[in-house]
Amino acid sequence: MVSHVEHPAAGYKKIFETVEELNEPIPAAITGVIPSWLGGSLLRMGPGLFEVGDEPFHHLFDGQALMHKFDLKNGQVTYYRKFIRTDSYVRAMTENRVVITEFGTAAYPDPCKNIFSRFFTYFRGIEVTDNCLVNVYPIGEDFYAVTETNYITKVDPNSLETLKKVDLCKYLSVNGVTAHPHTDTDGTIYNIGNCFGKNMSLAYNIVKIPPAQKDELDPIEKSQVVVQLPSSERLKPSYVHSFGMTDDYFVFVEQPVKINLLKFLAAWNIRGAAYMDCFESSDSMGTLFHLATKDPAVYMSSHKFRTSAFNLFHHINTYEDEGFIIVDLCTWKGHDFVYNYLYLANLRKEWEGLKKAATRAPQPEVRRYVLPLDVHREELGKNLVSLSYTTATAVLHGDGTVWLEPEVLFSGPRQAFEFPQINYSQYRGKKYSFAYGLGLNHFIPDRIVKLNVQTKETWVWQEEECYPSEPLFVPTPGATEEDDGVLLSIVVEPGAERPGFLLVLDAMKLTELARAEVNVIIPVTLHGMYRP
């Protein structure tokens, strides 16, 4: 899987440039054959506006939310995109400046106001961004574009119109939730977020949103916290981007990347700061795994799992087998925060400079951890893992903690397997074989990868000067094999006559079936969904 492709032309810079939205869908030119059963919409979210007036956004996660749609119907394909009319976007466009602080870009008071007005603006409290550029997913019959704050935005998946802004704090005791919820077989949605309670108490709440019911009430109005997990530090919650769920358990990985709440409150109110200014890394805590049962939802305080420090953004899959919970993760070694390396100034460097910067960043690695459910009747110092197909270990220590060592499923120098996907509808929470991911070469997305998590075999799709996005797996109707389906990815080929295209790959062989090309550049996208 390791990529030796160089990018001296630095064409990747084009995916970090501002684009305009489209007035109407544009037709795509199709080469190859799109499977006749593949009819629906690929919806994607990402940044599309990287500066406002003379003010640039500084971080990859700051650009204003742009929603993309490739429609596949009757052998034809069209492409459409539209900016989400968030408060962040509308006010920025109205005032021609950055008005609401984003992940890595601080907003400052209007320079046209007098000094007293600007001074008091700093003490109005935190105005949280609603820039929903990370993902889009359904809740009941509706669709929401999301980021990681308490605001989600209802959108029309057909017209891409913005419908309304929803504040989850009105329904749930959370200060934000991840952009990676899990959906159960009955349509129930589970998610996790930080909760700052009375007296600055801190916890992680797992929330539940029921499926749509006949009473036509909004499922969000029926949402509830089902279980609370403790924080290892009172004033420093860990950054959480995703979590694991099996049929019977929730798995939360508490990593050493922390949000310093005191710094967050003080810096924001007094001098103006971005979210990134309030992160710090603990070089002593390592990484903790928390378990909770699902039904009934109860925190398992007697199970204390610990391992060495790593950054975590994406869980691949989590499942139960013979009294163990297997947790497959895309990790980055150490406590140094990976997002420190995703400032746009870094990603837009010439190739040699970008590579040099990446050598200072944490090393990516796909890892498997195994958590034993029975930790009480074993001898100290003994490996509790008895599964025959993994080298991961779990050793009980005298203080009651279980020290975990992983099995490495993939590792290559500065080569990441990230933005992972599986055959989710059939294998979420179940033993599986295949994961699909976006290959990052020194942080630049330049390939699509299929990984057999049992044999560690890999397959790669890659073309020179092509920059793909997260591959989404769509199963063939009636399929009996886990990898019988297609992968959908938006690819950018700067300099080509039609530089943006929807790529359709055979998920078994990772060979191209078709591509639908359009004559516009498409900026980087983060996550999304396929809507049949």
Side-chain angles (χ1 to χ4, degrees), residues 7 19 78 97 113 128 151 166 205-206 210 251 304 308 330 435 459:
H7 301 287
V19 297
T78 59
R97 66 185 185 90
K113 293 181 179 179
V128 176
Y151 294 118
V166 176
N205 284 345
I206 292 179
V251 177
K304 303 180 187 299
S308 55
C330 297
W459 298 259

Side-chain angles (χ1 to χ4, degrees), residues 147-379:
T147 179
E148 295 183 325
T149 69
N150 53 298
Y151 294 118
I152 61 176
T153 303
K154 186 177 177 180
V155 294
D156 184 326
N158 297 311
S159 66
L160 307 190
E161 293 292 330
T162 304
L163 300 179
K164 71 173 181 178
K165 174 179 174 178
V166 176
D167 182 358
L168 292 175
C169 288
K170 292 182 178 180
Y171 309 100
L172 291 163
S173 178
V174 290
N175 291 83
V177 295
T178 79
H180 294 288
H182 281 290
T183 304
D184 227 336
T185 51
D186 66 351
T188 300
I189 292 173
Y190 293 93
N191 210 337
I192 189 170
N194 289 321
C195 170
F196 311 146
K198 294 180 179 179
N199 302 318
M200 297 296 289
S201 62
L202 175 66
Y204 309 96
N205 284 345
I206 292 179
V207 302
K208 174 181 178 180
I209 304 176
Q213 303 294 327
K214 293 180 180 180
D215 59 17
E216 298 185 357
L217 288 176
D218 187 341
I220 294 177
E221 296 181 10
K222 300 179 180 179
S223 56
Q224 60 179 311
V225 174
V226 293
V227 64
Q228 190 169 85
L229 313 177
S231 172
S232 61
E233 291 189 73
R234 184 183 173 204
L235 296 177
K236 295 179 181 180
S238 288
Y239 176 65
V240 52
H241 189 81
S242 64
F243 69 109
M245 186 178 83
T246 73
D247 287 342
D248 301 306
Y249 296 93
F250 300 111
V251 177
F252 166 56
V253 180
E254 190 177 15
Q255 62 177 311
V257 176
K258 297 284 189 172
I259 305 167
N260 186 321
L261 290 185
L262 295 181
K263 185 186 296 185
F264 181 82
L265 295 171
W268 203 295
N269 281 304
I270 294 173
R271 62 176 174 81
Y275 295 86
M276 278 295 294
D277 297 312
C278 304
F279 283 101
E280 60 183 46
S281 296
S282 169
D283 60 1
S284 60
M285 75 164 276
T287 304
L288 310 178
F289 284 69
H290 296 272
L291 274 184
T293 54
K294 190 174 166 194
D295 189 18
V298 178
Y299 176 61
M300 299 172 65
S301 58
S302 60
H303 289 61
K304 303 180 187 299
F305 300 102
R306 184 183 294 271
T307 190
S308 55
F310 62 79
N311 281 214
L312 170 67
F313 308 104
H314 299 116
H315 285 245
I316 301 174
N317 197 15
T318 307
Y319 66 92
E320 305 163 44
D321 191 18
E322 299 181 20
F324 298 92
I325 296 179
I326 293 81
V327 186
D328 291 349
L329 307 170
C330 297
T331 69
W332 299 76
K333 294 181 182 179
H335 61 272
D336 185 16
F337 195 20
V338 172
Y339 286 1
N340 290 330
Y341 300 88
L342 298 182
Y343 282 94
L344 291 166
N346 184 54
L347 296 173
R348 290 166 173 162
K349 285 181 178 178
E350 298 299 327
W351 179 237
E352 291 304 318
L354 191 150
K355 284 200 301 180
K356 184 176 180 180
T359 61
R360 299 190 294 269
Q363 167 68 20
E365 206 165 67
V366 179
R367 293 179 176 178
R368 166 166 290 176
Y369 288 90
V370 178
L371 283 56
L373 290 170
D374 186 354
V375 297
H376 303 292
R377 297 193 301 271
E378 304 288 348
E379 299 175 3

